[in-house]
Amino acid sequence: MPTVNTPVLDAPASPSPGRPLHILYADDMPELRVLMSDVFVREGHAVETVGDGDQALEQLRHSASPFDLLITDHHMPGISGLDLVRQTRQLPYPGKIVVFSSELSETVKDQYRGLAVDAILTKPIFPLTFRAVLEQLFAKEANPEAGREDTD
């Protein structure tokens, strides 16, 4: 069952990418799901977390409101992050996709790039760095010429 967190009342008036986002975060590490959810909620975003790729795909297919952003780990039980992205690309999913993982080979990164993920981020990452990546990704809505992010 996914975890849902909604923005807290003392969240900043202007969330990092300029608007509140509906985020789906898939990672098999419960502690990391809680930490990242707290970070995003403090930024004013609504976050749903799941523990594997199968649950994430189910959420993407059946959520009552569309997600602006899918953040996925690579190594998860069930389908991997790579399989999740492949299957997500076959859905009418208009949002952005960020891979947030450790220990990805160049071959795997190239496979993600071939699926047009918006960013590949290596764990661990500071919340301020993640905020900057979101600002860049969602600034593309206003500036489509901005390039893709790949942070190792």
Side-chain angles (χ1 to χ4, degrees):
M1 181 57 73
T3 303
V4 179
N5 292 310
T6 53
V8 292
L9 293 177
D10 62 349
S14 178
S16 60
R19 66 179 175 89
L21 300 175
H22 187 200
I23 300 171
L24 177 59
Y25 180 63
D27 197 307
D28 60 327
M29 293 180 58
E31 303 84 3
L32 194 52
R33 288 195 310 267
V34 169
L35 173 67
M36 294 305 294
S37 180
D38 287 347
V39 167
F40 293 133
V41 166
R42 275 187 251 133
E43 293 288 327
H45 307 297
V47 181
E48 296 183 40
T49 66
V50 294
D52 63 51
D54 294 309
Q55 291 175 346
L57 195 56
E58 192 68 19
Q59 283 298 106
L60 289 168
R61 288 180 175 148
H62 301 293
S63 178
S65 63
F67 292 96
D68 299 300
L69 176 63
L70 166 63
I71 302 170
T72 183
D73 185 18
H74 175 69
H75 301 284
M76 294 185 289
I79 64 172
S80 70
L82 191 58
D83 289 329
L84 171 59
V85 172
R86 276 192 191 110
Q87 292 183 46
T88 298
R89 289 299 187 212
Q90 296 175 11
L91 300 174
Y93 172 71
K96 302 198 181 300
I97 300 175
V98 171
V99 178
F100 182 43
S101 193
S102 57
E103 302 177 26
L104 293 180
S105 70
E106 281 306 311
T107 302
V108 171
K109 287 180 184 180
D110 286 342
Q111 290 175 321
Y112 278 115
R113 289 180 193 113
L115 292 168
V117 297
D118 295 282
I120 300 170
L121 305 175
T122 303
K123 293 178 184 175
I125 192 168
F126 290 105
L128 288 175
T129 304
F130 218 117
R131 178 191 299 164
V133 169
L134 290 184
E135 287 172 354
Q136 289 176 343
L137 288 177
F138 287 91
K140 290 181 195 175
E141 292 175 347
N143 179 12
E145 297 299 314
R148 291 206 187 297
E149 187 70 24
D150 192 352
T151 306
D152 291 306

